[in-house]
Amino acid sequence: MDKFVIEGGKPLKGTIPISGSKNAALPLMAASLLGNSASTLHNIPRLKDIYTFNNVIRVVGAQVDFHEDENKLVIDPTHVNHLEAPYDLVRKMRASFYMLGALVGKHGYAKVSLPGGCAWGPRPVDLHLKGMEAMGIDISLEKGYVIAKANDKIEGGSFRLEPSSVGATVNLLLASVLKAKKFTIKNAAKEPDVVQLCNHLVKMGANIDGIGTDTLTIKAVNELKGIEVSNDPDRIELGTFMIAAAMFPGSELTLTGCNPEHLGSFTKQLKKTGTTVDIDGTTIKVKAPDTLKPVSIKTEIYPGFPTDLQAQWATMMTQAEGKSKVTDTVYFDRFSYVPELTRLGADMEVEKNTVHISGKTPLIGASVMSTDLRASVSLVLAALVAENHSDVLRIYHLDRGYEDLENKLSAVGANIKRVDED
Ligand code: EPZ
């Protein structure tokens, strides 16, 4: 297993290009299976989760060509003939569960493994299944698999997501655009990933009202055509590097190829820390203040503060002068990074779904263990600030969601190397 060896304690200066979004790409890939011809997707990042999903899509019989050097993915669904997604692939990546909506939505049948739990606790899919049943899809469970059946056209109806769920919104959109005479999703997720999917489906020929709001109404069409689109830039990677720039006095990063609107309330909060943020079209310049002010945040669904930046924010707050707290209202136990950060010298304590932080604490390098994608990148952020040497172990978690991370950081002055641990 690979690890990162990092010599921290110096500012970052330079330019980092933002890659395509993982969480926006996965729904587009699933939606490509609804078409009656091939789709070409641009700005697809070279990430483990993308490769995993490519394999899931190949298993059902689609042709998948990933032109990695161009970040271009071509998916031809015309020969799909096996309407199943196996446990050994779905357990690797939860978003493989989107195959349920795509296959039953296009072919009227799907047998998809229930996804495994996540490092920070079980992640249910009850809203996906109840929503499909409300649409008129027959759902049954068999030995850890979900079997979904729907005859040609189903009545549809409406379903309220409680809580609002990105994945359930995606799956219900995929299941309904060709199948449900009329289906309304209430309290639908409004994340940019969902808005991009809706716009993509409409370009394929779907009939969706309410795009960008929390009420989506879908009316079935008879067919969808394959299209060529460019995927959104990754808002979570963007937020992560903005935090990297803010954490160490003297750091100054220019981030290119961004969509600043996709950050929701994050940018306003970052400015409150005293960090300079200059937005110029798709370029964002971030400059660290001499002293970081403590700013408490609470994660919420979009356009609130994203839960996927919660760990990174808490890590930055260890370098702020004073006390702050970070509350996650989306995932109540997404704090696996805290014990690792305290080993680097952070003063943090978790109480229910809030971590209380007292800064500023110097961080001293050590060996730390990654546990999930966003916790792992927070350990890298901490190691870049820590004096002397740190090892960040099990970075396969990072390879799921950050393209070329060590090269991007090295290019702005970080001393970071990937080492094969075995
Ligand atoms: C998506 O996960 C993202 N993953 C996550 O990013 C992100 O943290 C999450 O949305 C929230 O923004 C992808 O897009 C691939 P949810 P998802 O359904 O869809 C509860 C990363 O780091 N819930 O919006 O699985 C659930 O427990 C990943 O890139 C139910 O109760 O998240 C959670 O509390 C991690 N029943 C809340 O809803 C359900 O059926 C939001 O989850 C579904 C969800």
Side-chain angles (χ1 to χ4, degrees), residues 3-7 383 389-392 395 415-419:
K3 67 179 178 182
F4 278 153
V5 174
I6 297 171
E7 297 294 335
H389 175 108
S390 296
D391 287 354
V392 179
I395 53 170
N415 185 337
I416 176 172
K417 289 181 185 56
R418 179 186 290 261
V419 170

PDB file of all heavy atoms in Angstrom, residues 3-7 383 389-392 395 415-419:
ATOM      1  N   LYS A   3       2.083   5.221   0.630  1.00  0.00           N
ATOM      2  CA  LYS A   3       1.905   6.268   1.644  1.00  0.00           C
ATOM      3  C   LYS A   3       2.486   7.556   1.095  1.00  0.00           C
ATOM      4  O   LYS A   3       3.256   7.544   0.122  1.00  0.00           O
ATOM      5  CB  LYS A   3       2.626   5.869   2.945  1.00  0.00           C
ATOM      6  CG  LYS A   3       4.138   5.822   2.838  1.00  0.00           C
ATOM      7  CD  LYS A   3       4.778   5.453   4.169  1.00  0.00           C
ATOM      8  CE  LYS A   3       6.300   5.352   4.057  1.00  0.00           C
ATOM      9  NZ  LYS A   3       6.936   4.957   5.340  1.00  0.00           N
ATOM     10  N   PHE A   4       2.128   8.679   1.718  1.00  0.00           N
ATOM     11  CA  PHE A   4       2.764   9.957   1.384  1.00  0.00           C
ATOM     12  C   PHE A   4       3.787  10.261   2.468  1.00  0.00           C
ATOM     13  O   PHE A   4       3.488  10.113   3.659  1.00  0.00           O
ATOM     14  CB  PHE A   4       1.735  11.100   1.349  1.00  0.00           C
ATOM     15  CG  PHE A   4       0.965  11.217   0.062  1.00  0.00           C
ATOM     16  CD1 PHE A   4      -0.304  11.774   0.056  1.00  0.00           C
ATOM     17  CD2 PHE A   4       1.486  10.767  -1.152  1.00  0.00           C
ATOM     18  CE1 PHE A   4      -1.028  11.882  -1.125  1.00  0.00           C
ATOM     19  CE2 PHE A   4       0.776  10.872  -2.340  1.00  0.00           C
ATOM     20  CZ  PHE A   4      -0.483  11.421  -2.316  1.00  0.00           C
ATOM     21  N   VAL A   5       4.984  10.688   2.040  1.00  0.00           N
ATOM     22  CA  VAL A   5       6.001  11.173   2.972  1.00  0.00           C
ATOM     23  C   VAL A   5       6.062  12.683   2.773  1.00  0.00           C
ATOM     24  O   VAL A   5       6.278  13.156   1.641  1.00  0.00           O
ATOM     25  CB  VAL A   5       7.373  10.539   2.666  1.00  0.00           C
ATOM     26  CG1 VAL A   5       8.447  11.147   3.545  1.00  0.00           C
ATOM     27  CG2 VAL A   5       7.298   9.024   2.878  1.00  0.00           C
ATOM     28  N   ILE A   6       5.794  13.430   3.837  1.00  0.00           N
ATOM     29  CA  ILE A   6       5.655  14.895   3.710  1.00  0.00           C
ATOM     30  C   ILE A   6       6.579  15.599   4.701  1.00  0.00           C
ATOM     31  O   ILE A   6       6.627  15.227   5.876  1.00  0.00           O
ATOM     32  CB  ILE A   6       4.188  15.312   3.991  1.00  0.00           C
ATOM     33  CG1 ILE A   6       3.249  14.699   2.939  1.00  0.00           C
ATOM     34  CG2 ILE A   6       4.033  16.832   4.029  1.00  0.00           C
ATOM     35  CD1 ILE A   6       1.768  14.874   3.248  1.00  0.00           C
ATOM     36  N   GLU A   7       7.356  16.551   4.208  1.00  0.00           N
ATOM     37  CA  GLU A   7       8.128  17.452   5.071  1.00  0.00           C
ATOM     38  C   GLU A   7       7.364  18.772   5.082  1.00  0.00           C
ATOM     39  O   GLU A   7       7.301  19.453   4.060  1.00  0.00           O
ATOM     40  CB  GLU A   7       9.551  17.676   4.509  1.00  0.00           C
ATOM     41  CG  GLU A   7      10.414  16.424   4.428  1.00  0.00           C
ATOM     42  CD  GLU A   7      10.740  15.856   5.797  1.00  0.00           C
ATOM     43  OE1 GLU A   7      10.719  16.631   6.783  1.00  0.00           O
ATOM     44  OE2 GLU A   7      10.959  14.622   5.879  1.00  0.00           O
ATOM     45  N   ALA A 383      -0.296  17.682   7.670  1.00  0.00           N
ATOM     46  CA  ALA A 383       1.127  17.325   7.515  1.00  0.00           C
ATOM     47  C   ALA A 383       1.890  18.425   6.782  1.00  0.00           C
ATOM     48  O   ALA A 383       3.075  18.667   7.049  1.00  0.00           O
ATOM     49  CB  ALA A 383       1.240  16.003   6.755  1.00  0.00           C
ATOM     50  N   HIS A 389       8.723  15.865   9.611  1.00  0.00           N
ATOM     51  CA  HIS A 389       8.366  14.746   8.737  1.00  0.00           C
ATOM     52  C   HIS A 389       7.074  14.054   9.173  1.00  0.00           C
ATOM     53  O   HIS A 389       6.891  13.782  10.357  1.00  0.00           O
ATOM     54  CB  HIS A 389       9.554  13.764   8.825  1.00  0.00           C
ATOM     55  CG  HIS A 389       9.351  12.484   8.105  1.00  0.00           C
ATOM     56  ND1 HIS A 389      10.008  12.186   6.941  1.00  0.00           N
ATOM     57  CD2 HIS A 389       8.561  11.430   8.382  1.00  0.00           C
ATOM     58  CE1 HIS A 389       9.631  10.988   6.543  1.00  0.00           C
ATOM     59  NE2 HIS A 389       8.748  10.502   7.399  1.00  0.00           N
ATOM     60  N   SER A 390       6.174  13.810   8.220  1.00  0.00           N
ATOM     61  CA  SER A 390       4.970  13.005   8.516  1.00  0.00           C
ATOM     62  C   SER A 390       4.825  11.935   7.452  1.00  0.00           C
ATOM     63  O   SER A 390       5.166  12.148   6.287  1.00  0.00           O
ATOM     64  CB  SER A 390       3.715  13.881   8.477  1.00  0.00           C
ATOM     65  OG  SER A 390       3.756  14.858   9.476  1.00  0.00           O
ATOM     66  N   ASP A 391       4.279  10.780   7.869  1.00  0.00           N
ATOM     67  CA  ASP A 391       3.856   9.750   6.913  1.00  0.00           C
ATOM     68  C   ASP A 391       2.339   9.679   6.962  1.00  0.00           C
ATOM     69  O   ASP A 391       1.763   9.555   8.050  1.00  0.00           O
ATOM     70  CB  ASP A 391       4.407   8.371   7.321  1.00  0.00           C
ATOM     71  CG  ASP A 391       5.915   8.267   7.069  1.00  0.00           C
ATOM     72  OD1 ASP A 391       6.457   9.231   6.478  1.00  0.00           O
ATOM     73  OD2 ASP A 391       6.523   7.260   7.466  1.00  0.00           O
ATOM     74  N   VAL A 392       1.690   9.782   5.808  1.00  0.00           N
ATOM     75  CA  VAL A 392       0.231   9.579   5.751  1.00  0.00           C
ATOM     76  C   VAL A 392       0.005   8.219   5.094  1.00  0.00           C
ATOM     77  O   VAL A 392       0.309   8.036   3.912  1.00  0.00           O
ATOM     78  CB  VAL A 392      -0.467  10.703   4.956  1.00  0.00           C
ATOM     79  CG1 VAL A 392      -1.974  10.445   4.889  1.00  0.00           C
ATOM     80  CG2 VAL A 392      -0.187  12.060   5.600  1.00  0.00           C
ATOM     81  N   ILE A 395      -3.079   5.704   1.590  1.00  0.00           N
ATOM     82  CA  ILE A 395      -3.587   6.819   0.774  1.00  0.00           C
ATOM     83  C   ILE A 395      -4.411   6.316  -0.409  1.00  0.00           C
ATOM     84  O   ILE A 395      -4.851   7.109  -1.249  1.00  0.00           O
ATOM     85  CB  ILE A 395      -2.446   7.721   0.262  1.00  0.00           C
ATOM     86  CG1 ILE A 395      -1.389   6.911  -0.454  1.00  0.00           C
ATOM     87  CG2 ILE A 395      -1.866   8.521   1.410  1.00  0.00           C
ATOM     88  CD1 ILE A 395      -0.382   7.777  -1.168  1.00  0.00           C
ATOM     89  N   ASN A 415       6.742  19.631  -0.108  1.00  0.00           N
ATOM     90  CA  ASN A 415       7.703  18.524  -0.148  1.00  0.00           C
ATOM     91  C   ASN A 415       6.929  17.255   0.183  1.00  0.00           C
ATOM     92  O   ASN A 415       6.747  16.911   1.349  1.00  0.00           O
ATOM     93  CB  ASN A 415       8.803  18.785   0.887  1.00  0.00           C
ATOM     94  CG  ASN A 415       9.901  17.727   0.790  1.00  0.00           C
ATOM     95  OD1 ASN A 415       9.652  16.611   0.283  1.00  0.00           O
ATOM     96  ND2 ASN A 415      11.079  18.071   1.265  1.00  0.00           N
ATOM     97  N   ILE A 416       6.383  16.626  -0.872  1.00  0.00           N
ATOM     98  CA  ILE A 416       5.510  15.449  -0.684  1.00  0.00           C
ATOM     99  C   ILE A 416       5.885  14.384  -1.705  1.00  0.00           C
ATOM    100  O   ILE A 416       6.070  14.686  -2.886  1.00  0.00           O
ATOM    101  CB  ILE A 416       4.013  15.858  -0.846  1.00  0.00           C
ATOM    102  CG1 ILE A 416       3.074  14.644  -0.752  1.00  0.00           C
ATOM    103  CG2 ILE A 416       3.781  16.633  -2.123  1.00  0.00           C
ATOM    104  CD1 ILE A 416       1.587  15.005  -0.701  1.00  0.00           C
ATOM    105  N   LYS A 417       6.077  13.168  -1.224  1.00  0.00           N
ATOM    106  CA  LYS A 417       6.437  12.063  -2.132  1.00  0.00           C
ATOM    107  C   LYS A 417       5.535  10.860  -1.863  1.00  0.00           C
ATOM    108  O   LYS A 417       5.197  10.576  -0.709  1.00  0.00           O
ATOM    109  CB  LYS A 417       7.902  11.647  -1.926  1.00  0.00           C
ATOM    110  CG  LYS A 417       8.902  12.690  -2.455  1.00  0.00           C
ATOM    111  CD  LYS A 417      10.353  12.250  -2.264  1.00  0.00           C
ATOM    112  CE  LYS A 417      11.284  13.377  -2.689  1.00  0.00           C
ATOM    113  NZ  LYS A 417      10.946  14.639  -1.910  1.00  0.00           N
ATOM    114  N   ARG A 418       5.187  10.145  -2.938  1.00  0.00           N
ATOM    115  CA  ARG A 418       4.423   8.896  -2.805  1.00  0.00           C
ATOM    116  C   ARG A 418       5.435   7.764  -2.691  1.00  0.00           C
ATOM    117  O   ARG A 418       6.337   7.655  -3.519  1.00  0.00           O
ATOM    118  CB  ARG A 418       3.522   8.691  -4.012  1.00  0.00           C
ATOM    119  CG  ARG A 418       2.705   7.407  -3.982  1.00  0.00           C
ATOM    120  CD  ARG A 418       1.962   7.220  -5.282  1.00  0.00           C
ATOM    121  NE  ARG A 418       0.900   8.210  -5.397  1.00  0.00           N
ATOM    122  CZ  ARG A 418      -0.390   7.905  -5.087  1.00  0.00           C
ATOM    123  NH1 ARG A 418      -0.724   6.713  -4.651  1.00  0.00           N
ATOM    124  NH2 ARG A 418      -1.332   8.829  -5.215  1.00  0.00           N
ATOM    125  N   VAL A 419       5.298   6.958  -1.653  1.00  0.00           N
ATOM    126  CA  VAL A 419       6.245   5.846  -1.437  1.00  0.00           C
ATOM    127  C   VAL A 419       5.434   4.565  -1.319  1.00  0.00           C
ATOM    128  O   VAL A 419       4.393   4.538  -0.648  1.00  0.00           O
ATOM    129  CB  VAL A 419       7.045   6.102  -0.133  1.00  0.00           C
ATOM    130  CG1 VAL A 419       7.856   4.877   0.249  1.00  0.00           C
ATOM    131  CG2 VAL A 419       7.943   7.334  -0.279  1.00  0.00           C
TER     132      VAL A 419
END
